[in-house]
Amino acid sequence: VEDIGIAPTPTCGFAVRLQGAAGAVQITASHNPAPWNGLKMFGHDGAVLSASDGAKVRALYEAGGFPRAAWDGIGQMRVPPDVQAEHAKAVLD
């Protein structure tokens, strides 16, 4: 897990590409009321998943037939270098 902290959606997509990640999940609250808070998923290209790809992920989750890691087998979390600064530099360049 790469924790980039609090970041806008475009920075999350940039981080996926910068880190060469398989994808990302952004916890989003945005400007909406609490019931509309949710998860925004990104593909390996840093783009938010399409509605059809999101529906596939949801169907997999709801089917419950996927392996789950034990609490002590999840892996590690790290905080990468300042992704927001890298994103700002890329925009300015």
Side-chain angles (χ1 to χ4, degrees):
V1 173
E2 304 278 336
D3 184 353
I4 66 167
I6 298 171
T9 298
T11 300
C12 192
F14 177 84
V16 169
R17 294 186 304 278
L18 181 70
Q19 298 295 321
V25 177
Q26 180 180 33
I27 300 169
T28 179
S30 189
H31 57 281
N32 295 316
W36 290 96
N37 293 349
L39 303 175
K40 191 177 291 184
M41 294 174 280
F42 297 76
H44 65 91
D45 60 354
V48 175
L49 292 185
S50 66
S52 63
D53 285 343
K56 290 175 189 174
V57 172
R58 183 176 183 166
L60 288 169
Y61 171 77
E62 289 175 347
F66 52 89
R68 297 176 188 221
W71 71 270
D72 60 349
I74 292 175
Q76 297 181 4
M77 184 206 63
R78 77 178 196 97
V79 177
D82 190 354
V83 174
Q84 291 193 51
E86 289 293 324
H87 189 198
K89 182 181 180 308
V91 168
L92 294 172
D93 286 348

